Amino acid sequence: MDIAIITGASSGLGAWYARLLDAEGLDEIFLIARREKRLATIAGLMKTKARVLALDLTEAHATQAIEDELAKTDEPNVRWLVNCAGFGRIGFAGDIDAATLMNMTELNCVTPLRLTTALLPFMGAGSLIVNVASCAAFQPIPGVSVYAATKAFVLSWSRSLGYELAPQGIGVTAVCPYWIRDTEFISHAETTDTRHLFKTFPFPTDAETVARRSLRAAKNGIAVCTPDAIAFLDRLAAKILPHELLMHLMGLWHRL
């Protein structure tokens, strides 16, 4: 049975991955997030059989719960694993409480690592892993320092993981978009921005574009997907310019 597993599937980018993978001819799609009612609404609109799993992925038992669901399935073959769950917060050191930063690190880094490792035995040649990172992964960014660091982990780990799994025919793609306007990310991230470090979010992309382009990139074996123009330019800038200069420019932006 061919299965897709999507975390963070209750809204925004994760919901778009669910919509698009609904057209892939899979046998079943696991929709995973904390908000059960939203997941149920999305599942009700899908043609593919959808299994709703309302889980907090930062809790240790969540991964085991997913494994248990797979164990109930006849010959499960995880064709797609989309690690989309995550969040960010804006603020300088000391502006954000330690518990929030630790929870962010847990969800953005530990959760995809734990889940991917657990699900590898259910994957084989042709399986694809999509890890949602960010163009923030390409350089350190004052004002979102911990978030950027978590996404740098996702990017680095994804690239190494892809190399390690290539002999098995399993592909790994890290998705590195710029701001996405039609998700809850920005509104949630701003809740800790007491200094108004990011007054505007110019030239944002949209969730459908990111989802479509990143799924296409995964199918084509692209290791790092920058699905919009700003992300692509940022990737180039981070390769060419010293990170110290980029951080200084970000400081100037904060003061505008």
Side-chain angles (χ1 to χ4, degrees):
M1 180 174 286
D2 289 338
I3 297 168
I5 296 177
I6 307 167
T7 69
S10 62
S11 65
L13 186 56
W16 266 107
Y17 280 124
R19 292 186 186 102
L20 296 175
L21 289 177
D22 189 28
E24 289 293 310
L26 298 161
D27 296 302
E28 190 168 3
I29 298 176
F30 286 19
L31 303 176
I32 303 170
R34 291 177 301 173
R35 296 176 291 191
E36 186 171 10
K37 288 184 178 179
R38 289 200 181 190
L39 291 175
T41 299
I42 293 168
L45 298 174
M46 296 171 62
K47 295 177 292 184
T48 308
K49 180 183 177 182
R51 193 177 306 200
V52 169
L53 300 177
L55 298 168
D56 181 346
L57 290 168
T58 63
E59 296 181 356
H61 69 84
T63 298
Q64 185 60 56
I66 296 167
E67 291 184 80
D68 291 344
E69 290 297 318
L70 284 172
K72 300 174 186 177
T73 305
D74 184 33
E75 297 183 0
N77 177 32
V78 178
R79 296 286 295 178
W80 288 90
L81 171 59
V82 181
N83 288 306
C84 189
F87 73 94
R89 289 292 184 269
I90 299 171
F92 282 167
D95 293 345
I96 308 171
D97 65 275
T100 297
L101 296 177
M102 293 301 294
N103 193 41
M104 187 195 312
T105 304
E106 178 80 17
L107 185 59
N108 293 3
C109 298
V110 178
T111 290
L113 173 61
R114 182 191 295 124
L115 185 57
T116 301
T117 302
L119 296 186
L120 279 176
F122 299 96
M123 303 175 117
S127 293
L128 296 170
I129 300 170
V130 175
N131 291 326
V132 177
S134 165
C135 67
F138 299 131
Q139 69 282 301
I141 304 180
V144 286
S145 58
V146 175
Y147 173 76
T150 66
K151 294 306 184 178
F153 168 83
V154 173
L155 173 60
S156 179
W157 167 61
S158 296
R159 299 194 74 170
S160 296
L161 182 66
Y163 183 88
E164 293 170 359
L165 295 179
Q168 301 175 44
I170 299 173
V172 182
T173 296
V175 187
C176 300
Y178 179 57
W179 301 112
I180 304 175
R181 61 174 169 265
D182 53 340
T183 73
E184 299 172 339
F185 179 89
I186 293 175
S187 61
H188 288 176
E190 287 182 308
T191 58
T192 50
D193 188 13
T194 57
R195 301 172 190 257
H196 303 290
L197 299 173
F198 292 88
K199 300 173 183 65
T200 61
F201 302 87
F203 312 114
T205 184
D206 64 273
E208 181 181 1
T209 296
V210 173
R212 287 188 183 279
R213 291 178 178 175
S214 58
L215 291 181
R216 184 166 64 244
K219 291 177 182 178
N220 289 328
I222 296 173
V224 180
C225 172
T226 43
D228 57 90
I230 299 298
F232 178 73
L233 291 173
D234 183 37
R235 184 178 179 183
L236 288 180
K239 285 181 175 293
I240 297 169
L241 300 176
H243 287 180
E244 290 79 4
L245 174 59
L246 292 174
M247 287 191 287
H248 179 69
L249 293 174
M250 182 57 66
L252 293 175
W253 171 259
H254 291 160
R255 292 191 289 272
L256 289 177

